[in-house]
Amino acid sequence: MKKLRKAIDSYIDQIEQKWKAFSDDRQRMFTKIFFATYLLLSVFAFLQIRSKLANTPKILPGTSIKSVPSEPDRKKNPGINSHQKTLQ
């Protein structure tokens, strides 16, 4: 485990030295590129999730719930009506 930790630490030190070897302008450019890439991936993921949600069937307001849990289901899962216990 100590060998692995030492190998990881030395790798991180090497990467930090390479980063510090870049000029400030180059570091700024890489930071902007990484941020822009992150932003594009985030927007793409958000749009993909939103499009999936838009394609799912919706419950129309004004419609009623067609199935109510039966008594045995309530006994199996007492959390279904736990809010009613606190209100009484």
Side-chain angles (χ1 to χ4, degrees):
M1 191 66 177
K2 288 183 181 181
K3 288 182 182 180
L4 178 64
R5 178 123 176 116
K6 189 175 182 179
I8 291 172
D9 286 341
S10 66
Y11 178 73
I12 290 173
D13 289 339
Q14 288 175 359
I15 297 298
E16 282 183 13
Q17 288 175 359
K18 287 181 182 180
W19 178 256
K20 289 177 183 178
F22 288 136
S23 67
D24 289 341
D25 292 335
R26 188 120 176 148
Q27 286 181 1
R28 224 174 273 119
M29 181 192 68
F30 277 124
T31 304
K32 288 177 185 178
I33 290 171
F34 292 146
F35 178 71
T37 304
Y38 171 76
L39 186 65
L40 287 173
L41 287 173
S42 298
V43 168
F44 177 73
F46 175 76
L47 292 175
Q48 188 174 13
I49 291 170
R50 186 168 176 160
S51 69
K52 283 184 181 180
L53 290 176
N55 294 333
T56 59
K58 297 177 183 170
I59 298 173
L60 297 175
T63 60
S64 61
I65 298 173
K66 300 207 185 320
S67 64
V68 177
S70 62
E71 194 63 37
D73 289 339
R74 291 181 189 158
K75 289 178 182 175
K76 288 180 189 175
N77 189 358
I80 292 175
N81 292 326
S82 62
H83 66 282
Q84 290 179 351
K85 292 177 186 176
T86 59
L87 293 176
Q88 294 176 353

